[in-house]
Every structure is written in structure tokens, then in C-alpha cells.
Amino acid sequence: MIRYTIGRVTSLFLSLVVASMVIFAVVEVVPGDPAAYMLGVNARPDTIAALRTELGLDMSPPERYLSWTSGMLRGDFGTSYTYRTPVTRMILDRIVVSLPLAILALALTVAIAFPAGIYAASRRGKLGDMGVMGATQLGVAVPNFWFAMILVLIFAVKLRWVSAGGFPGWGNGVWPGLKALILPAIALALPQAAILARVMRSSLLDMLGEDFIRTARAKGLTRRQALWRHAVRNALIPVLTIIGLQFSFLLAGGIVIEQIFFLPGLGRLIFQAISARDLIVVESVVMLLVALVIIVNFAVDLAYAAVDPRLRVRA
């Protein structure tokens, strides 16, 4: 297990280095000069040049890359071109919204998908199975932004149980903050739960057809006992893959949902930074999200090894 972990850590480090290079290269080729954008079309060339020097934009790309990455290693993501505040502070202000939203949405996804997938697999070909598969097909087909607007219309406009958007801040209490995140989390979770439930059902059905399940049944276990004692654990490997990918999507891909619910999260921050040509904010936030995705995949790899010891032997 130690050798397997060392190999995954090495892969994690190399992935972060390559990701930082790609992000820096892609963002740097975006058209538009941040200094000229900030000062306006009527700005004098010498004024623009002075601002470029102040922002560090006059350095060569390799120098800017080394300055950016070395700063990140110290926890310093630079200073926003537009707001002139530390990017680290901006990220911390926004991640306290995006991260709880992603965790809450993932928890709802797992809480819905696992029972639904297991129930459908245990009743293969029966009415319950067809009902779950029909519901999941609908969940996959419906866009989450459309579903989010329907939730706002029903629960915020018609029933007035929750507000239509905004975030009160955690300083006003945990419940008001969670209440503001419930509808966005549901809008993110249900389409992902539909996908995960289908994967769980398919994986369980594959396991139920394996020889070791038939052996367990021959020893006297019922289908239900064989499913819970043997099939569920062995079916988790593809499910863990999907969960890792889904958490990454929920954390990094919630920009549309954050816009609909006016949530001050990382997705909305990226949108605002791109609009303002605030390259340092775009680079830093995207790098943070990519790093979180890579770390989640690293955790999933370790979970693989815990579930299936054969992976450790192969490593």
C-alpha cells in the first residue's frame, strides 16, 4: 500500500505541474490587454505602460509563470488587476460558498442514487426497476439550469418557502446558509443522482452474474443476502470513479447554477474575472479548481486500493 501511495503521489505532483503550465499558457493567449482594458480606450500609451509595469505584465512569460507558481506555493495567488485586493482573500471569500454547495449536492446525490440503484438491481425486470430507470432517464435528459428555474418558480415564487437567490453568509448562522444552498444543491444533485443510480444498478447486475455470487447462493444465501454481503462492495469501483468525477463537476461546473441563484461562489468569480480580463484571478481560481479535481481523483485511487487489494499488488 505504501508503494502504491508513493506512485499516486508522484502522479499527483506531475499532474499539478502540467496543469499549471497548460492553464498559464491558455490564459496568457486570451486576446486583450488587462492594463488597456482597465484604463479605457482613451488611455495614453505611457500610462498603459506604467500600469503594465505595476501589474508585472511587462515581464516575460517564463518570469510571470515562475512568479505565479512560486507565489502559489507560499499561499500567495497575487493581486487582482481589477479589485486590487489579494486573490487569496477573494478565493477564501468565495470557496466558503462553493465548497459547501458541492459537498451538500454530492451528499444528496449519493443519498438518492445508492438506494435507487440497489433497489432497481434487486428487482431487475420488475415494475420497480422500470420505474427507477424511467425516473433516471428523465433526470439525465433534463438540464440542471432548467430544473433550477423550475425549483425557484415552485418553492421560492409560489410557495415562498425559501428565497429566490442570494447568500446571507455563514455569520448569520448555519441554518440560513444551508437554507440558501438547498435549492441549488438539489438542482445540481438530481441529474447527477440519475447518472450514478444507473451506474450503480449496472455494476450490481454485473456482480450478481459473477461466479462467486452463484457460489454464495449455492451455499444457502438468498439473493438479497448475496447482494448486500458480496455484490455491493465489489460493485463500488466504477461507482467511486463516477463519484470522483461528479464532485469535480459539482465544484467546478456550478457557474450556471451560481448565476441563477446569485451565489457569490467561485464559478461566479471566474465569470466576473473573465469579463474584466482579470487574468491573475482566472489563472489562480482555475488552478485551484484543477488542483482540487486532481486531489479528489487521488483520493479515489486510494479508495480503489482499499476496496480492491488486487490494485495494490499490480502497483
Side-chain angles (χ1 to χ4, degrees):
M1 186 65 183
I2 294 176
R3 185 168 57 182
Y4 179 84
T5 303
I6 292 174
R8 299 283 75 77
V9 170
T10 303
S11 176
L12 169 69
F13 175 76
L14 294 176
S15 298
L16 289 173
V17 172
V18 172
S20 67
M21 293 180 177
V22 172
I23 291 169
F24 183 83
V26 170
V27 173
E28 288 297 318
V29 300
V30 173
D33 185 351
Y37 185 86
M38 292 169 62
L39 294 175
V41 294
N42 297 321
R44 295 170 51 184
D46 57 340
T47 306
I48 295 176
L51 182 57
R52 285 180 57 84
T53 301
E54 181 183 351
L55 298 177
L57 297 174
D58 59 334
M59 295 189 297
S60 65
E63 289 176 325
R64 292 205 304 274
Y65 173 77
L66 291 176
S67 175
W68 175 55
T69 53
S70 62
M72 285 193 298
L73 293 175
R74 301 190 305 268
D76 179 11
F77 288 88
T79 302
S80 168
Y81 300 158
T82 304
Y83 301 101
R84 310 311 300 270
T85 58
V87 178
T88 303
R89 183 185 305 168
M90 298 174 67
I91 291 175
L92 292 176
D93 290 341
R94 303 301 184 99
I95 201 171
V96 296
V97 177
S98 293
L99 187 58
L101 174 60
I103 293 174
L104 180 59
L106 185 65
L108 290 174
T109 298
V110 173
I112 295 170
F114 271 45
I118 294 172
Y119 177 82
S122 64
R123 288 163 175 77
R124 180 180 185 181
K126 298 181 180 179
L127 184 61
D129 182 24
M130 291 187 288
V132 171
M133 288 299 97
T136 57
Q137 186 64 45
L138 181 63
V140 171
V142 173
N144 59 7
F145 65 87
W146 180 86
F147 185 58
M149 292 186 287
I150 296 298
L151 290 176
V152 170
L153 180 63
I154 295 174
F155 294 101
V157 178
K158 297 294 184 181
L159 299 178
R160 298 181 182 275
W161 288 358
V162 294
S163 63
F167 186 73
W170 297 110
N172 293 319
V174 175
W175 171 241
L178 289 177
K179 190 176 180 181
L181 296 180
I182 287 176
L183 288 188
I186 294 174
L188 286 170
L190 286 185
Q192 300 303 313
I195 297 172
L196 188 61
R198 296 177 73 89
V199 173
M200 186 71 184
R201 173 187 178 272
S202 177
S203 183
L204 274 174
L205 290 178
D206 289 341
M207 288 300 107
L208 290 173
E210 293 291 334
D211 292 339
F212 70 91
I213 295 294
R214 286 193 288 268
T215 301
R217 292 292 305 278
K219 290 182 177 180
L221 292 183
T222 64
R223 179 181 175 86
R224 182 182 181 87
Q225 290 172 330
L227 184 147
W228 283 102
R229 293 185 187 181
H230 301 286
V232 170
R233 177 175 177 177
N234 288 279
L236 285 180
I237 289 182
V239 175
L240 288 173
T241 302
I242 299 299
I243 290 176
L245 294 174
Q246 286 183 331
F247 181 74
S248 304
F249 167 79
L250 293 171
L251 185 60
I255 180 172
V256 175
I257 298 300
E258 290 182 2
Q259 289 293 111
I260 292 174
F261 289 96
F262 301 101
L263 295 175
L266 291 175
R268 201 169 184 208
L269 177 61
I270 292 177
F271 179 81
Q272 295 169 342
I274 292 174
S275 301
R277 301 295 192 276
D278 203 339
L279 301 185
I280 187 66
V281 175
V282 177
E283 289 174 351
S284 299
V285 176
V286 172
M287 184 63 214
L288 175 65
L289 293 175
V290 170
L292 290 174
V293 170
I294 293 173
I295 291 171
V296 168
N297 289 332
F298 169 73
V300 170
D301 285 342
L302 295 184
Y304 284 169
V307 172
D308 189 352
R310 292 173 297 180
L311 296 175
R312 302 196 295 266
V313 175
R314 294 171 189 167

